[in-house]
Amino acid sequence: MVADNIYSPLGRNTRDNIDALKQGRSGIQLHSGNLSSGPFYASLFDATYKMEDESKTFFEQIVLASAMDAMNQADIRQPDNRTGFILSSTKGNISLIENPQGKSYPENKIALHTSASVVARELGFNSEPLVVSHACISGLLAMITGMRLIQAGLYDTLVITGADLITTFIFSGFLSFQAISRNPCKPFDAERDGISLGEAAATVVLSANKRPEAVLLSGGSVSNDANHISGPSRTGEELWLAIRRSLEQAGIDAKEIDFISAHGTATRYNDEMEAKAIHLASMEKIPLNSLKGYYGHTLGAAGILESIVTIHSMKENILFPTLGFSTPGTELPVNVVKKISKSDLHRTLKTASGFGGCNAALIMIKD
């Protein structure tokens, strides 16, 4: 990975976001408005992020803003046919079906491939953009897909952006599962009672040309629980399978992992399942965190955003705490990071899980 951007309520670039995490700041705030009949906690963009370009939806605007910053860092001025674009999102422009009295857009604007084409064209891509939409592993799956496309020799460079905005449709869906916390979320904590939702866009640029400062994606895998449409596996075996296969691809052993960036949604069942998978992988003593207490669950952006933070943690040898965590709350204990600290990080694991029983794992290595 040679360049990145995090575009979130904590900042418009990665540096501002990392600085916010070092200060212990969270984007999760108390809100009231159209999403819910009562007050709720979430990490949402404020009015200062709104742009003047009426030809594009706000979703498309944040994707563009994030991708453009990362491409500038990577010095991609005019993408050639060996440079591709991947868009990761769970719902994209779903808000367009919620406000028929609002600005009128073409009917096909609701389709994710339309947004991907709009952004790719604006960024100057000649190649056909790709879309990855696979519940909450979308961002991590997009990175694994990009890694494999480069390994297969189909691209030299890939710009991968994940983004989602919180709409009434999304909020009410999680509310119907009784999965929304009444307070800022508490991943892996004994008193966790659900997620906090969040908005963000995040971009990584992957390249076949190795650079001295780059962190390498060296192994990635996906699996499925085949358990329930929304409830995760009760055993964690399927996430463990994705972790094991990722380690095999990377050619390393579980004991060589220095740190785990967990999905950590703060729902009762997700955190329990992840803890069991980590035990099955014999990684229960490895330091672990969840970033959901800073960003909320950013859906299609989560896997990319949290991977970027992990990469910068590796570069600076720093562990960020799990905001909201105080008392261990899983049946099988895991080593949750409680305070910001220094650690020598060379090999890390990122995990993600989502509705439909999907799981993903990615190994990142710093030379």
Side-chain angles (χ1 to χ4, degrees):
M1 196 197 80
V2 297
D4 57 75
N5 168 273
I6 297 175
Y7 193 87
S8 82
L10 288 178
R12 290 172 166 83
N13 57 64
T14 301
R15 187 70 265 156
D16 287 349
N17 276 266
I18 297 298
D19 288 344
L21 298 188
K22 289 178 178 178
Q23 295 164 16
R25 289 196 286 120
S26 172
I28 298 174
Q29 305 292 331
L30 186 63
H31 296 271
S32 59
N34 296 332
L35 294 180
S36 173
S37 58
F40 62 95
Y41 283 94
S43 179
L44 306 178
F45 288 118
D46 61 33
T48 64
Y49 284 84
K50 302 296 179 181
M51 304 173 195
E52 297 294 325
D53 188 353
E54 293 189 359
S55 68
K56 300 178 184 65
T57 65
F58 187 46
F59 169 74
E60 292 161 358
Q61 290 173 14
I62 65 171
V63 172
L64 267 170
S66 180
M68 288 177 66
D69 181 67
M71 288 174 66
N72 286 336
Q73 293 175 46
D75 199 26
I76 301 173
R77 305 302 175 187
Q78 185 59 49
D80 58 25
N81 290 331
R82 299 285 297 173
T83 302
F85 177 69
I86 301 178
L87 175 63
S88 158
S89 183
T90 63
K91 292 292 181 281
N93 279 323
I94 195 71
S95 62
L96 297 183
I97 69 172
E98 300 175 1
N99 186 22
Q101 284 75 45
K103 179 175 173 55
S104 177
Y105 290 97
E107 289 185 9
N108 65 352
K109 268 284 191 181
I110 196 67
L112 274 171
H113 67 80
T114 302
S115 291
S117 296
V118 167
V119 172
R121 186 168 57 249
E122 184 78 12
L123 294 172
F125 284 92
N126 297 316
S127 57
E128 186 76 14
L130 304 177
V131 171
V132 174
S133 184
H134 195 352
C136 295
I137 72 167
S138 295
L140 208 55
L141 179 55
M143 292 179 67
I144 293 170
T145 300
M147 176 186 70
R148 291 175 176 173
L149 289 170
I150 289 176
Q151 289 172 341
L154 298 175
Y155 292 91
D156 294 326
T157 305
L158 278 165
V159 179
I160 306 172
T161 303
D164 264 308
L165 297 171
I166 305 307
T167 69
T168 303
F169 178 86
I170 292 171
F171 189 90
S172 62
F174 280 98
L175 197 63
S176 71
F177 288 119
Q178 300 181 342
I180 302 288
S181 176
R182 294 166 292 181
N183 300 290
C185 65
K186 299 179 177 182
F188 295 102
D189 190 80
E191 296 185 2
R192 68 187 187 278
D193 62 353
I195 69 173
S196 300
L197 290 168
E199 299 180 326
T203 301
V204 292
V205 179
L206 305 185
S207 174
N209 300 315
K210 185 178 177 181
R211 300 185 185 182
E213 74 281 5
V215 170
L216 305 179
L217 310 187
S218 60
S221 181
V222 297
S223 65
N224 197 281
D225 298 342
N227 173 69
H228 188 269
I229 190 64
S230 62
S233 165
R234 296 299 187 263
T235 66
E237 291 181 64
E238 297 79 12
L239 175 58
W240 170 63
L241 176 62
I243 294 171
R244 191 186 75 196
R245 287 176 173 170
S246 298
L247 290 167
E248 289 171 353
Q249 288 177 31
I252 62 174
D253 190 81
K255 64 178 179 294
E256 297 180 74
I257 295 294
D258 301 311
F259 167 70
I260 302 168
S261 173
H263 194 52
T265 63
T267 61
R268 185 63 56 182
Y269 292 123
N270 176 89
D271 292 6
E272 196 69 57
M273 182 276 288
E274 276 202 284
K276 290 177 179 178
I278 288 164
H279 270 259
L280 287 170
S282 300
M283 292 181 170
E284 64 273 12
K285 295 183 179 180
I286 295 171
L288 166 155
N289 79 2
S290 165
L291 295 170
K292 299 295 191 295
Y294 299 94
Y295 293 101
H297 193 342
T298 56
L299 308 178
I304 299 175
L305 186 158
E306 293 164 10
S307 293
I308 293 170
V309 173
T310 301
I311 288 164
H312 284 266
S313 293
M314 295 172 74
K315 289 181 176 181
E316 298 187 35
N317 290 315
I318 188 171
L319 294 178
F320 291 110
T322 302
L323 206 60
F325 175 83
S326 60
T327 305
T330 55
E331 179 183 346
L332 299 177
V334 288
N335 186 13
V336 181
V337 180
K338 290 185 177 182
K339 62 181 181 179
I340 193 166
S341 57
K342 285 286 187 177
S343 184
D344 196 16
L345 305 178
H346 290 276
R347 296 171 177 84
T348 62
L349 166 69
K350 175 76 191 96
T351 60
S353 301
F355 285 166
C358 54
N359 306 290
L362 179 66
I363 305 295
M364 294 173 278
I365 293 179
K366 176 186 73 177
D367 287 341

